[in-house]
Amino acid sequence: MRDKTQTNSAAPGDRLIRTGAIVFFVGAVATLVTVAPLFLGTTPFPTYMFGLSMLMGVGFLIAGAGVLRAVAAGRRQARGAAR
């Protein structure tokens, strides 16, 4: 008997996890760009670049929310199957 879940179907929270990963990596690049002038001895970037560095934390929180949503959906599905 085949499994009812298709391999290419998106589970709840998958989109949040992908979005969080993208935001995290944008923040990581912004952090590297912001820290580079400190090591190279050039003039530092404007203050808004330090704000963009905060995207790492925001992306981590978004991805974490996606993981929690996927876990909750899995638990609901397991409870429904047990009945």
Side-chain angles (χ1 to χ4, degrees):
M1 182 172 216
R2 290 185 180 204
D3 190 16
K4 293 178 183 177
T5 305
Q6 295 189 14
T7 57
N8 60 355
S9 64
D14 281 354
R15 191 173 296 170
L16 279 174
I17 294 170
R18 286 189 192 116
T19 303
I22 292 169
V23 171
F24 180 86
F25 286 120
V26 168
V29 169
T31 300
L32 290 175
V33 167
T34 303
V35 174
L38 298 174
F39 293 116
L40 300 175
T42 60
T43 58
F45 284 98
T47 308
Y48 70 87
M49 286 299 290
F50 292 101
L52 285 177
S53 297
M54 296 298 197
L55 288 177
M56 284 179 69
V58 173
F60 187 76
L61 289 175
I62 292 171
V67 168
L68 291 176
R69 186 172 179 193
V71 167
R75 292 182 76 183
R76 270 193 306 268
Q77 186 179 17
R79 254 189 253 140
R83 290 184 183 182

